[in-house]
Amino acid sequence: MAVDSKLRIKPAGYAVLRVRRAAFLVHRRGAVVAVGLALLLAASCLAYLCVGESFVQPGEALKVVFGQPSPDELVVGTLREPRMVVGLLVGAAFGVAGGLIQTVARNPLASPDIIGISQGASAVTVGAMTLGVTSYTVLPYLSVLGGVAAAALVYVFAWRGGLHATRFVLIGIGFAIALRSVTTLFMTKGDYLVAQQAQIWMTGSLNGRGWAEAEPLGLILLVLLPFIAWAARAQRSVTLDDDTATALGVRLGHVRLGLVLLGVVLASVATGAAGPVDFVALLAPQIARRMTRTAQIPLLCSALLGALIVVLADLLARRLFSPTELPVGVLTAAVGAPYLIWLIVKSHSIRSRSVRNGGTS
């Protein structure tokens, strides 16, 4: 522990950032990681704007971004930039959503695409598509309804005088399988062209996305920004054991419900904009936590990592098999699935080791 000039105790590894009369504790390593991720994300965005069927010079791409006249306005400003912005917003939303839900569940496997939230959003969205609703300005709001409904069902069935992490994940997986079947049923009952469109959407794709999808998504995230700031502070109390948090006056039930609801809304909105881009919400929070070595998942680093993963994955999806474009979800799944298997194997080995140690003690 260390003590600042006013004799207030601050944890080791933290610095006090003062803005006028307000003071904030900043994790030093977390701040360095966040700056590094922001720089890497900026470089990735520039590469995204430059690389394609035709290569654009970085200087010309930056001119378009800053609103200056350029002969590459059509390629960069109309085709690549809006799609990239949607990817940034979707990745950031999934990163924060995964961090919040994993914090409440205290389980690295509890991501929206594993416990049924993304599947609930998908079921409602695909159902709306089969009924003729194809506007990407409307679908994100329908996705929120589906995600919240799925989360409510998982929460109700998992609650038994408390929220046990393993039960929460297992029940969520069960609902995810059931809701995926409902989505498939909608697709078989719908028009062939709509079903084909829904199939592409189900894999998670940024193809054809533009400002029409970016603007409502950005507006929703802007409205949710104060709640995300609250969540970054509130999640510290959730990482404590229940007795300690209760003794400190924390209303754990309300805080957990608020964090879960915020995570559900973020994941559902992102799913509505780009489809269920699998494993981003699983990967980003866990990698961010390992990079920063903090007690709780750093939401800012999770958002930056989520955005970075989606932007790089979509860049590769555009160029790997050019001129054919892969859905971005194919690339994220190719990376995320092995990581999920590794997490399961690791958690099983840790559990087996603790059982053996308990038996010999």
Side-chain angles (χ1 to χ4, degrees):
M1 303 291 284
V3 181
D4 68 8
S5 58
K6 292 190 176 182
L7 299 180
R8 292 178 181 172
I9 298 176
K10 64 180 180 182
Y14 284 79
V16 178
L17 176 64
R18 299 190 183 280
V19 182
R20 295 185 180 180
R21 296 183 179 180
F24 303 92
L25 278 177
V26 178
H27 190 268
R28 291 191 182 94
R29 183 182 177 89
V32 172
V33 170
V35 171
L37 287 174
L39 293 175
L40 186 58
L41 180 59
S44 301
C45 289
L46 183 59
Y48 190 98
L49 296 176
C50 294
V51 177
E53 289 293 331
S54 60
F55 181 80
V56 177
Q57 294 295 329
E60 295 298 324
L62 290 176
K63 282 183 180 180
V64 176
V65 171
F66 291 108
Q68 298 178 10
S70 172
D72 296 302
E73 171 67 34
L74 175 63
V75 174
V76 176
T78 304
L79 300 179
R80 297 178 188 173
E81 185 181 8
R83 175 170 172 167
M84 181 193 71
V85 171
V86 174
L88 288 171
L89 296 175
V90 166
F94 273 128
V96 175
L100 293 175
I101 294 173
Q102 289 173 12
T103 297
V104 174
R106 297 183 181 180
N107 192 320
L109 300 178
S111 77
D113 47 348
I114 291 178
I115 62 172
I117 295 171
S118 294
Q119 287 77 9
S122 299
V124 172
T125 305
V126 172
M129 285 181 175
T130 59
L131 295 176
V133 180
T134 57
S135 172
Y136 284 106
T137 58
V138 176
L139 292 179
Y141 301 101
L142 296 177
S143 295
V144 171
L145 295 178
V148 170
L153 288 172
V154 174
Y155 197 89
V156 168
F157 279 87
W159 183 269
R160 293 291 183 275
L163 193 64
H164 190 272
T166 303
R167 183 168 61 242
F168 181 76
V169 173
L170 290 176
I171 290 178
I173 291 173
F175 271 102
I177 295 171
L179 290 168
R180 195 177 291 274
S181 300
V182 172
T183 304
T184 304
L185 178 63
F186 281 135
M187 292 172 61
T188 58
K189 296 297 182 181
D191 180 78
Y192 173 75
L193 293 178
V194 174
Q196 197 172 33
Q197 180 185 4
Q199 182 64 46
I200 296 173
W201 181 88
M202 281 291 297
T203 59
S205 176
L206 297 178
N207 188 22
R209 303 300 189 269
W211 294 120
E213 295 78 39
E215 289 174 359
L217 179 58
L219 179 61
I220 293 173
L221 294 182
L222 185 63
V223 171
L224 293 177
L225 194 58
F227 299 96
I228 296 173
W230 164 81
R233 182 180 180 87
Q235 69 173 169
R236 298 175 187 171
S237 60
V238 178
T239 57
L240 301 172
D241 64 87
D242 292 2
D243 292 337
T244 302
T246 303
L248 292 174
V250 178
R251 303 177 70 179
L252 274 178
H254 292 80
V255 173
R256 284 172 175 162
L257 183 60
L259 294 178
V260 167
L261 184 59
L262 179 58
V264 168
V265 171
L266 287 169
S268 302
V269 169
T271 301
V277 184
D278 289 335
F279 296 109
V280 176
L282 174 74
L283 288 169
Q286 291 303 309
I287 296 175
R289 186 173 184 178
R290 283 164 171 76
M291 292 176 69
T292 59
R293 300 176 187 173
T294 51
Q296 65 273 348
I297 295 173
L299 295 186
L300 176 59
C301 292
S302 296
L304 292 171
L305 261 172
L308 180 63
I309 290 170
V310 173
V311 167
L312 287 178
D314 194 49
L315 176 59
L316 291 174
R318 285 196 294 122
R319 300 308 303 157
L320 277 181
F321 298 98
S322 179
T324 302
E325 290 190 7
L326 297 176
V328 64
V330 173
L331 270 296
T332 58
V335 176
Y339 185 78
L340 174 62
I341 295 172
W342 177 79
L343 272 180
I344 294 173
V345 171
K346 182 181 178 183
S347 61
H348 177 72
S349 62
I350 292 174
R351 192 178 300 112
S352 300
R353 196 181 308 122
S354 64
V355 171
R356 287 197 301 270
N357 292 338
T360 56
S361 61

